[in-house]
Amino acid sequence: MVLPSVESNPILLVRFTKNAKPDLIHHTIGRLADAGIVIVTSEGFDDEAALGEAVVLGLTTTQTVLENEAELIKMVKPSRTQNDQIPVIMEHFTVDTRHDFVNIKHSNLPKIDESDYDSEGLFTSSDRALLLLSILNALPVLDKDEESSELSKVLDSYCETNSEQNRSKSVVQVLKSNGFVDVVCPVHSSHLKEKILKETTSIKTGMPIQAIQSYYGDGVAFYFAWMDFMTKWLMIPGLFGLVAYIIRKARGDTVDNCDITPFVGLATFFWAALCDRCWERRESRLAYLWGTYSSSYRDRISFGQRPEFVGEMRKSPVTGRMEKFYPYHKRLFKFAVSALVTAFLLAGATFVMVIGMNLQGYISSEDLEQWGDEKHPLYFPRFAQLAEPGSIFDATSAWKSFIPVILRAIFVMNLNYQYRHIAEKLTEWENHETSYYFISVILKRVLFEAFDAYIVLLYLTVYERNIHLLRLELVGAFNVDTFRRVFVECILPWVAQKKFFMQNKEKRAADASKKCDHTEVITINTLSHEADLEDYEQFDDYLEMIVQFGYVTLFASAFPLAALIAVGANLIEYRADCWKLTRLFKRPCPRRQDSIGMWKRIIRVMMWMSALTNCLIFAFTSSQLRQWIPNNYSTNEYGKTVLVPHTADETVFLVFAIEHVILILGALMRHFVDPVPEDVLDEVDRCKWLHETYAQKARLRLMKSIKKELRDVTHSKIGERPNTQ
């Protein structure tokens, strides 16, 4: 079974809001037809549209139009060659050579499922959606040689913007910005999404990455590929941590005085460095197979202007055409304001964290004895006394001490949710021209949410230097966060699905009762139902994995079992993510993507930082290093391990020397592991060599043609000479 004919099935759906008038919809359909986009199905597109009902259109086009667009956007596909040694290469699709791209099956290519492709084995379902979206987003309200049209006149009468502003914008952009269209997304294919869900939830089969890419596109596929990759690789530090835990229990040691636990932190750092590099290799291989690989950094940067970007018109120094421009110094001022707002909110979050540490007993009246006459700067007696024995948050109680952890987790979750909207508003206000908008949002939210997740842990590591409290907080925070993820990712979506289906059924039954034609069959598998689904938000899924990676790597010497617990949580979560994607969300618009982008850089920063945090834990927060150099440490009157004064400098120097050696070894290890697999580089080199060979043959043919023309001209001139004898 292959994909159905493109001409008879909707690829995209567009929903017009109740504000869209019938004449606007009619003229929009006419403009879409100019680009070869046709309507194959519709809902609400009748007399009721005039009464203010939403209209949903199912859009498609022809195979010829898709192929022309594939050539325009330089889509890369496997192509046959005329060289027996290199039978197949990845090449830009062209209509003139389409016969080289259809029905390709070769051992060098990954095994594909024919049901993911069209009858000619050329385009996948995500390819079709990507191409039609590209056509739709590039279709302007007016052509360059047009002064006005029926659509532009209607838009002028309904919109606040004039035709001059609309001329450079796409039809969809104008309709969206003025509230006439609220949904544009690909249409789900029931048998394809159910096939992916079945393979994902099956224990016997692995993650169907290729099927996900063929249906959802590169962006979604890279997330699930990374999730699957990380889950498998987390088993390595999980095994290290389990062995260390068993040995520690057998010997009767604690995490404070175990002499082998530091090696878990050391191994975790080298694991993270190697894992990051191996993921780059996996990423490069997938990008090559999916036709998005690029060896040039500049090719990876998207210079496409965001539709929301505003600025003054100026003459472009590059193209000479008029373009929108926004001065950089104005954006710098907005950057400063965004930083101040974020810093203010972080200060508020810090104060709440300090109150939470008082409620958990991390800062108590016992600390005052160690401080002597000085007052602990973070001690609040009104809150700290609630954690004393017999109080409501008794820190010595197994269950009472857990209440502040849960309350703080709820507070942090709500705080992060609120900051999410603030970060988006601030970034929109900064007025980014290109896709750096998304990078700015990622940086803001990761900074804020990582601060919320790690600030207490870092305080206990650096300031209190108490391994028992650090481990208690780490175990509590990690387990609560893991349980929250499972609850939010699995239980809540299931409840939401049941509630949504019930409301949807009641709504459609009520709508049906208003119609005169009672013979209509009411189903939930309609375009309107898909348009009502929530948008898929990939950001939170990535962020949860990033925070988890930080727990595993930054504090490995305090909680070696974190990686093992993470494996179990991830096995549940990525299946839940796939289930949500197929049942609860609109089908996301496919994007051409060659990596996981900014998230990879954030992981790398955490990886390098983990060398420092683990050194601090085993040297100063715990007594782990004391087991190796006992003469450099002593125990004070409060039972804490402290440095011996006359060897303190030596110990500090030793710790940071170890940290630097670890960083150097990590850098050397990454240096000797290429980020791009050799077979991928070979394929790229073969393609370049083949192009050079074709170019050389073309030059030789041209030279022969020129020589022949010159010879013919010479003979003709000789024949034209008059006979002087």
Side-chain angles (χ1 to χ4, degrees):
M1 181 180 180
V2 297
L3 293 178
S5 172
V6 66
E7 287 85 359
S8 59
N9 288 271
I11 299 176
L12 300 179
L13 69 84
V14 175
R15 183 171 70 182
F16 287 85
T17 64
K18 297 178 180 179
N19 299 327
K21 303 299 182 183
D23 57 342
L24 175 61
I25 299 176
H26 278 287
H27 290 305
T28 300
I29 293 174
R31 183 56 176 157
L32 295 179
D34 294 339
I37 302 175
V38 296
I39 313 300
V40 290
T41 184
S42 64
E43 295 176 15
F45 190 49
D46 49 26
D47 294 337
E48 292 186 6
L51 301 177
E53 295 293 331
V55 174
V56 183
L57 304 179
L59 310 182
T60 191
T61 186
T62 63
Q63 182 73 10
T64 302
V65 173
L66 290 181
E67 291 180 8
N68 286 326
E69 186 66 18
E71 180 175 350
L72 290 174
I73 68 172
K74 297 182 178 180
M75 178 174 281
V76 176
K77 286 288 182 181
S79 172
R80 299 181 186 87
T81 71
Q82 300 173 2
N83 190 304
D84 294 336
Q85 301 298 322
I86 310 175
V88 177
I89 62 171
M90 300 299 291
E91 186 64 279
H92 292 297
F93 176 83
T94 60
V95 175
D96 292 339
T97 59
R98 71 179 303 276
H99 58 276
D100 292 331
F101 293 87
V102 299
N103 296 322
I104 292 183
K105 294 181 181 179
H106 194 271
S107 58
N108 290 347
L109 298 175
K111 186 178 180 180
I112 62 174
D113 189 339
E114 293 184 356
S115 64
D116 294 332
Y117 286 79
D118 57 24
S119 59
E120 295 183 303
L122 183 58
F123 295 138
T124 64
S125 180
S126 67
D127 289 338
R128 287 178 169 181
L130 175 69
L131 293 170
L132 189 54
L133 278 168
S134 177
I135 298 170
L136 193 62
N137 291 327
L139 180 63
V141 174
L142 291 170
D143 292 329
K144 291 183 179 180
D145 56 349
E146 283 186 319
E147 291 296 331
S148 66
S149 65
E150 293 298 327
L151 177 60
S152 67
K153 293 177 182 178
V154 173
L155 287 173
D156 286 344
S157 63
Y158 293 146
C159 304
E160 298 179 358
T161 57
N162 54 45
S163 59
E164 289 297 324
Q165 293 174 315
N166 292 337
R167 180 185 291 274
S168 60
K169 296 181 180 180
S170 70
V171 175
V172 173
Q173 181 185 342
V174 174
L175 294 174
K176 276 187 171 183
S177 60
N178 288 277
F180 299 128
V181 168
D182 61 348
V183 175
V184 178
C185 68
V187 177
H188 267 300
S189 172
S190 298
H191 78 278
L192 286 179
K193 71 175 185 178
E194 292 301 326
K195 183 191 73 171
I196 292 173
L197 182 60
K198 182 179 179 180
E199 294 180 9
T200 303
T201 54
S202 174
I203 301 177
K204 298 180 181 179
T205 59
M207 196 65 150
I209 303 300
Q210 186 60 45
I212 292 174
Q213 190 275 337
S214 298
Y215 184 66
Y216 290 110
D218 303 334
V220 174
F222 267 117
Y223 166 73
F224 280 101
W226 179 65
M227 186 84 167
D228 183 58
F229 178 88
M230 286 298 300
T231 301
K232 293 175 180 177
W233 270 73
L234 279 168
M235 294 180 182
I236 298 174
L239 182 61
F240 291 157
L242 180 62
V243 171
Y245 176 80
I246 293 173
I247 294 175
R248 190 174 75 236
K249 288 298 182 181
R251 291 164 49 176
D253 295 336
T254 65
V255 72
D256 183 39
N257 59 15
C258 180
D259 57 352
I260 63 171
T261 300
F263 293 101
V264 176
L266 178 66
T268 301
F269 169 78
F270 289 122
W271 164 84
L274 187 61
C275 176
D276 176 66
R277 184 61 93 195
C278 289
W279 165 247
E280 283 188 286
R281 293 171 62 85
R282 169 70 170 157
E283 199 174 49
S284 298
R285 181 172 280 112
L286 291 176
Y288 180 78
L289 293 175
W290 297 341
T292 58
Y293 174 79
S294 173
S295 57
S296 171
Y297 176 73
R298 286 185 62 85
D299 292 343
R300 296 167 186 247
I301 302 175
S302 173
F303 291 99
Q305 193 176 85
R306 296 176 56 244
E308 297 83 3
F309 173 69
V310 296
E312 302 172 354
M313 300 302 295
R314 72 162 187 179
K315 187 176 182 180
S316 171
V318 179
T319 64
R321 298 177 180 178
M322 297 302 294
E323 66 174 8
K324 285 189 288 186
F325 172 75
Y326 190 75
Y328 186 66
H329 69 273
K330 292 184 179 181
R331 189 174 291 118
L332 282 178
F333 170 75
K334 293 183 176 182
F335 286 160
V337 174
S338 296
L340 289 175
V341 172
T342 302
F344 176 78
L345 294 173
L346 287 176
T350 301
F351 177 75
V352 174
M353 297 298 176
V354 170
I355 298 300
M357 287 189 288
N358 280 266
L359 293 175
Q360 291 177 254
Y362 296 162
I363 304 174
S364 63
S365 57
E366 296 179 0
D367 296 328
L368 300 180
E369 300 177 3
Q370 302 177 34
W371 282 76
D373 296 334
E374 298 181 10
K375 183 179 179 182
H376 194 298
L378 304 180
Y379 176 68
F380 292 89
R382 180 175 299 179
F383 297 101
Q385 65 185 5
L386 297 177
E388 294 178 354
S391 299
I392 186 173
F393 300 136
D394 185 354
T396 61
S397 172
W399 65 273
K400 288 184 178 180
S401 62
F402 212 62
I403 299 177
V405 178
I406 298 175
L407 294 176
R408 184 159 60 83
I410 295 174
F411 170 80
V412 168
M413 186 168 61
N414 290 329
L415 184 66
N416 291 339
Y417 178 78
Q418 296 298 328
Y419 182 73
R420 168 185 175 179
H421 300 289
I422 296 174
E424 291 173 353
K425 293 291 185 182
L426 288 173
T427 309
E428 189 66 44
W429 180 62
E430 291 168 2
N431 194 28
H432 292 270
E433 182 177 1
T434 64
S435 58
Y436 283 108
Y437 165 85
F438 301 102
I439 295 177
S440 182
V441 172
I442 290 174
L443 288 176
K444 287 184 179 68
R445 289 193 58 189
V446 168
L447 173 65
F448 193 87
E449 300 199 22
F451 183 89
D452 289 345
Y454 305 139
I455 183 62
V456 175
L457 300 173
L458 293 174
Y459 168 82
L460 296 174
T461 300
V462 178
Y463 197 76
E464 291 289 338
R465 298 193 296 276
N466 188 319
I467 187 65
H468 298 292
L469 292 182
L470 173 62
R471 179 175 172 79
L472 181 66
E473 170 64 20
L474 184 59
V475 172
F478 184 79
N479 290 339
V480 168
D481 187 64
T482 300
F483 175 78
R484 177 195 62 79
R485 287 169 54 197
V486 173
F487 179 78
V488 172
E489 299 288 340
C490 300
I491 300 176
L492 282 184
W494 182 81
V495 174
Q497 183 197 35
K498 295 296 183 182
K499 182 178 179 181
F500 177 82
F501 280 176
M502 290 300 296
Q503 292 177 346
N504 190 278
K505 186 175 180 180
E506 293 174 359
K507 177 183 176 181
R508 294 185 181 280
D511 293 341
S513 64
K514 298 177 182 179
K515 297 182 178 181
C516 298
D517 183 8
H518 296 283
T519 63
E520 181 181 353
V521 179
I522 306 298
T523 66
I524 62 173
N525 297 319
T526 62
L527 296 181
S528 296
H529 165 69
E530 289 193 30
D532 289 336
L533 296 174
E534 295 182 11
D535 292 323
Y536 174 60
E537 176 58 64
Q538 201 174 53
F539 185 95
D540 291 331
D541 293 334
Y542 268 116
L543 189 57
E544 289 172 351
M545 287 291 293
I546 293 293
V547 172
Q548 180 195 81
F549 182 83
Y551 283 131
V552 171
T553 55
L554 296 174
F555 308 100
S557 295
F559 190 23
L561 289 178
L564 195 62
I565 298 174
V567 171
N570 290 350
L571 289 173
I572 297 174
E573 182 166 346
Y574 79 70
R575 287 174 168 82
D577 287 341
C578 186
W579 180 83
K580 289 190 304 177
L581 191 58
T582 56
R583 297 293 176 83
L584 298 182
F585 295 120
K586 298 183 186 75
R587 184 178 171 187
C589 295
R591 304 189 309 271
R592 288 199 292 180
Q593 198 170 311
D594 65 351
S595 68
I596 61 174
M598 191 65 188
W599 300 106
K600 183 168 57 178
R601 301 180 188 178
I602 296 171
I603 291 172
R604 201 163 297 153
V605 170
M606 286 187 171
M607 179 265 292
W608 293 119
M609 287 182 59
S610 67
L612 174 62
T613 56
N614 282 287
C615 283
L616 293 177
I617 290 172
F618 84 80
F620 304 121
T621 307
S622 69
S623 301
Q624 295 171 3
L625 186 60
R626 185 178 185 179
Q627 310 307 310
W628 295 94
I629 48 174
N631 294 332
N632 289 32
Y633 291 87
S634 64
T635 304
N636 64 11
E637 58 183 311
Y638 302 107
K640 283 191 173 184
T641 297
V642 294
L643 295 174
V644 175
H646 67 275
T647 60
D649 294 342
E650 174 188 334
T651 306
V652 172
F653 176 81
L654 175 64
V655 170
F656 284 99
I658 293 173
E659 185 251 359
H660 279 62
V661 169
I662 292 173
L663 291 176
I664 293 173
L665 292 176
L668 287 174
M669 183 176 65
R670 288 172 55 84
H671 174 74
F672 288 107
V673 180
D674 291 331
V676 182
E678 187 174 354
D679 60 312
V680 173
L681 293 176
D682 289 343
E683 290 292 336
V684 174
D685 290 339
R686 288 190 190 101
C687 186
K688 291 180 179 178
W689 177 82
L690 204 60
H691 287 169
E692 292 173 0
T693 302
Y694 289 158
Q696 185 63 23
K697 290 181 179 179
R699 293 189 193 101
L700 292 174
R701 288 194 299 269
L702 181 61
M703 290 172 62
K704 290 180 179 179
S705 175
I706 293 174
K707 287 181 180 179
K708 185 178 182 301
E709 290 180 4
L710 290 174
R711 191 164 50 248
D712 293 342
V713 170
T714 302
H715 288 326
S716 64
K717 287 183 177 180
I718 292 174
E720 293 175 358
R721 288 180 181 178
N723 190 352
T724 58
Q725 296 181 352

